[in-house]
Amino acid sequence: MPQNKKPKYVAILIVMMTLGASWAIRGRFGHEYGAAWAGSIGILALLLASNRKDWLQNWLPIAAAGAVGWGMTGMISYGAVVGYGKSGDLLNTSYGLLSLFVIGGLFGFLGGGFTGLMLESGNKKKPEWAPLLTQMVAGGIVFWGFLIYQLEWFMTPPRSELWAACLGAAFAMGWYMLRHRFKNAWYVAMLTMLGAGFGFAFGNFMQATGINAGIAINWWNVMEYSIGSFGGLGLAYGVYSRSWPEMPRCSAASMKWSALLLFVLIPLWTITNAFEWGKITRWAERSGVDMVDQYATGVYVQMGIVSFLALIGLFVLARKTFHQRATRRLVFMATLVTCFWYQALKLITSGLFGYYTVSMEELTVLNLLAVAILIYAQNLEISPFEWPVADGEFNTLLRRTGLVVIVVILILSVIASGVIDDMPGSNYRFGGE
């Protein structure tokens, strides 16, 4: 019998809370770069909670691969789909929640799949990244062209239909995993897909019913936390329930390129988009701030100071990784610095030292502090690899979980359509008003 199961559940909780909080912070920045950052933070929590030395010494490439997987689906437009869940009409609500299950599932499948492929890279077998990425690009083009331009299967008209390209990429990745027998990666991708898909649909349900009930909180943030936490649940359970090969140390070049992606390129994309001059001046004008130009300059100064300090700390930690085996403490500090860097950027975009007011969004700070305490206070001597789930059991688990998720989403659709009145932001795909 497996021993010491309790720490495994603590580890899963850590990943859920971390990915949920980072996804909620990501909502301020959005798009591919925001999703890439949130995904990488969730994966760092996964590595910390695993306490595996071979994974910790390769924390940069693993986090970078996961960032690519979670980030690429950020191209999908889902604003219109969220509106279907607010319609109060059963057909449109069901369509909206099921569509969000597909979109969230794509986030999870690609994010979980890239992470699983990295973790399954051993001395005997490694994924061939160039052929895999080529096949994913080809699959994305074929699916997008066929579903959108031939079948005209529009999910989010009149917005972008790039969900079809992500679906094609996911099919190509899944077929690659099955052909080359990356079973662990396949199971992780599937469970993360179910978790993130359900989380997105459930989050939309909570958002629509909460707004309809007149509860004045940021329900969009609640929806983001939901997809992150349930996606983290699927990712963590999938990883901690499989036996993994010993992962060899990645090359110094891959470490450096991964550090460049995580600590320079993704933050640079985030900053240049979130702190675009026009956005800042519009925030200030809407809030009645005098001397808009001076205020915007102050925002840039704040952003520059915070980013400079964070980069110094991160590069010191990354440099240590190149010259010695990364420790759990080192990865923990890097994760902590990165989380609070982005939280600080979020506060600055909210008008810190200008027109900022405390809101429930800052609960993410308490969430991250709780995660930090859990990781730091407990030496998580977990051995998730001593509690593996056999292939047959895992296949049964996937089938049953998938069925339960679909049934629950349909039940939520019935409940939502019965209690929701037509509200601002609602959208109709069928019939319509």
Side-chain angles (χ1 to χ4, degrees):
M1 286 292 291
Q3 301 297 318
N4 201 21
K5 291 183 179 181
K6 184 177 179 181
K8 178 176 178 178
Y9 294 126
V10 174
I12 292 173
L13 178 63
I14 286 172
V15 179
M16 290 180 66
M17 292 176 66
T18 305
L19 190 54
S22 59
W23 209 267
I25 295 173
R26 174 256 175 181
R28 175 68 65 173
F29 307 111
H31 303 294
E32 295 88 341
Y33 44 86
W37 172 78
S40 70
I41 294 300
I43 291 161
L44 289 178
L46 181 85
L47 303 184
L48 285 167
S50 77
N51 209 22
R52 275 192 60 155
K53 293 181 179 179
D54 57 328
W55 291 357
L56 290 171
Q57 73 176 0
N58 293 309
W59 67 287
L60 286 169
I62 296 173
V68 172
W70 284 99
M72 66 173 62
T73 323
M75 67 178 72
I76 298 177
S77 172
Y78 50 79
V81 181
V82 169
Y84 302 141
K86 302 176 181 178
S87 66
D89 171 77
L90 179 58
L91 179 60
N92 285 284
T93 300
S94 301
Y95 175 81
L97 266 60
L98 289 172
S99 295
L100 288 172
F101 169 74
V102 172
I103 294 171
L106 290 172
F107 273 107
F109 189 89
L110 292 170
F114 268 85
T115 305
L117 285 170
M118 280 296 297
L119 299 181
E120 205 166 356
S121 300
N123 289 316
K124 295 182 179 179
K125 182 175 64 173
K126 297 179 181 179
E128 297 177 329
W129 293 106
L132 170 60
L133 293 174
T134 301
Q135 292 165 33
M136 291 177 67
V137 171
I141 294 173
V142 170
F143 270 61
W144 185 50
F146 182 69
L147 293 177
I148 304 306
Y149 289 97
Q150 294 300 317
L151 299 184
E152 297 186 345
W153 188 4
F154 304 127
M155 180 188 289
T156 63
R159 299 191 178 192
S160 167
E161 301 288 348
L162 283 172
W163 65 270
C166 293
L167 181 65
F171 264 90
M173 172 184 275
W175 181 229
Y176 180 90
M177 293 174 181
L178 294 175
R179 289 199 326 271
H180 295 278
R181 300 185 182 280
F182 285 99
K183 284 187 178 181
N184 285 359
W186 167 257
Y187 287 131
V188 170
M190 290 295 291
L191 269 182
T192 313
M193 177 196 74
L194 291 173
F198 174 76
F200 213 2
F202 182 61
N204 187 209
F205 168 79
M206 289 193 294
Q207 179 194 50
T209 54
I211 293 174
N212 189 73
I215 302 174
I217 62 175
N218 187 336
W219 286 105
W220 193 273
N221 235 204
V222 171
M223 182 173 64
E224 291 163 339
Y225 192 92
S226 180
I227 180 178
S229 59
F230 280 102
L233 170 62
L235 175 66
Y237 186 84
V239 169
Y240 296 149
S241 298
R242 302 298 295 175
S243 296
W244 298 87
E246 186 75 15
M247 186 176 182
R249 185 171 171 81
C250 294
S251 66
S254 66
M255 294 281 192
K256 292 176 181 178
W257 282 109
S258 299
L260 178 67
L261 175 66
L262 293 171
F263 302 148
V264 176
L265 296 181
I266 292 176
L268 184 61
W269 291 327
T270 300
I271 288 170
T272 54
N273 283 273
F275 292 89
E276 189 266 329
W277 183 273
K279 289 183 179 179
I280 296 173
T281 55
R282 286 194 295 273
W283 300 335
E285 289 169 354
R286 283 199 300 268
S287 301
V289 174
D290 296 328
M291 298 182 294
V292 172
D293 288 349
Q294 290 87 333
Y295 172 79
T297 302
V299 167
Y300 281 117
V301 171
Q302 297 167 38
M303 179 270 293
I305 293 173
V306 167
S307 300
F308 178 72
L309 294 175
L311 281 171
I312 289 177
L314 288 169
F315 273 108
V316 168
L317 295 170
R319 186 175 179 81
K320 289 183 178 181
T321 303
F322 302 143
H323 299 292
Q324 65 185 44
R325 293 184 181 275
T327 63
R328 190 164 176 267
R329 179 184 177 85
L330 184 150
V331 179
F332 172 71
M333 291 303 298
T335 306
L336 202 61
V337 169
T338 308
C339 282
F340 285 101
W341 179 18
Y342 274 74
Q343 179 64 35
L345 294 178
K346 178 184 176 183
L347 291 175
I348 292 170
T349 63
S350 301
L352 191 63
F353 305 128
Y355 55 89
Y356 173 77
T357 56
V358 176
S359 70
M360 68 159 287
E361 294 183 45
E362 276 42 84
L363 291 176
T364 53
V365 176
L366 298 179
N367 187 109
L368 292 172
L369 285 174
V371 169
I373 292 170
L374 279 174
I375 293 174
Y376 185 78
Q378 300 188 38
N379 184 19
L380 288 175
E381 302 269 349
I382 70 166
S383 298
F385 335 101
E386 295 177 2
W387 194 16
V389 177
D391 290 354
E393 293 179 63
F394 229 113
N395 290 327
T396 301
L397 173 68
L398 287 175
R399 288 194 297 269
R400 290 178 177 175
T401 303
L403 178 60
V404 169
V405 165
I406 296 300
V407 170
V408 170
I409 289 175
L410 292 175
I411 293 173
L412 294 177
S413 301
V414 173
I415 295 172
S417 62
V419 302
I420 292 174
D421 298 320
D422 186 63
M423 63 177 66
S426 61
N427 200 8
Y428 293 85
R429 181 70 176 83
F430 309 100
E433 296 180 3

